[in-house]
Amino acid sequence: MSDTVKSAYGQQVLERLSREGSQGTGEIAIVTSPGARTAAWAVKVKSNSSYNVYNVIAVIIKPPGLVPDEIGRQVQAVNLAESFTQQGTLPAGTYAVMSRVGDKNVFYAKP
């Protein structure tokens, strides 16, 4: 389903709900987003840059028993599981899921 069709369908549902009011809708919650979906990548920590900022690289997950392949170039990402005021201790080689929040890459991995 294309994004245009999804958006049109979401708008139709919202219009129908507004016409019906609270009569007969029960417990329904609808959330729409005007932009692109949040992207997430599997990454491997390569090194600590400073504090809780790490150099990471995207990986392709393979079938069980095979090591993931590194792809692309290294980027910096913030580990939300560590203090923002102390040097990070996450070891190189740690795998995590990274997301984009505003203009920053973030992940959560306990040392």
Side-chain angles (χ1 to χ4, degrees), residues 20-40:
E20 292 176 0
S22 61
Q23 301 297 325
T25 58
E27 293 286 327
I28 295 177
I30 296 177
V31 177
T32 61
S33 174
R37 289 174 230 118
T38 301

Side-chain angles (χ1 to χ4, degrees), residues 44-47 54-58 70-76 105:
K44 179 180 179 181
V45 172
K46 298 299 278 182
S47 63
Y54 289 86
N55 298 310
V56 299
I57 192 163
E70 296 178 1
I71 59 169
R73 61 181 177 78
Q74 288 185 29
V75 297
Q76 290 192 332
N105 296 313

Side-chain angles (χ1 to χ4, degrees), residues 4-16:
T4 304
V5 173
K6 288 179 187 176
S7 178
Y9 175 74
Q11 186 63 34
Q12 289 173 354
V13 171
L14 289 174
E15 288 172 0
R16 180 178 54 83

Side-chain angles (χ1 to χ4, degrees), residues 35-52:
R37 289 174 230 118
T38 301
W41 303 268
V43 294
K44 179 180 179 181
V45 172
K46 298 299 278 182
S47 63
N48 180 267
S49 178
S50 66
Y51 294 95
N52 63 337

Side-chain angles (χ1 to χ4, degrees), residues 54-66:
Y54 289 86
N55 298 310
V56 299
I57 192 163
V59 295
I60 296 175
I61 304 298
K62 297 168 112 181
L66 298 175

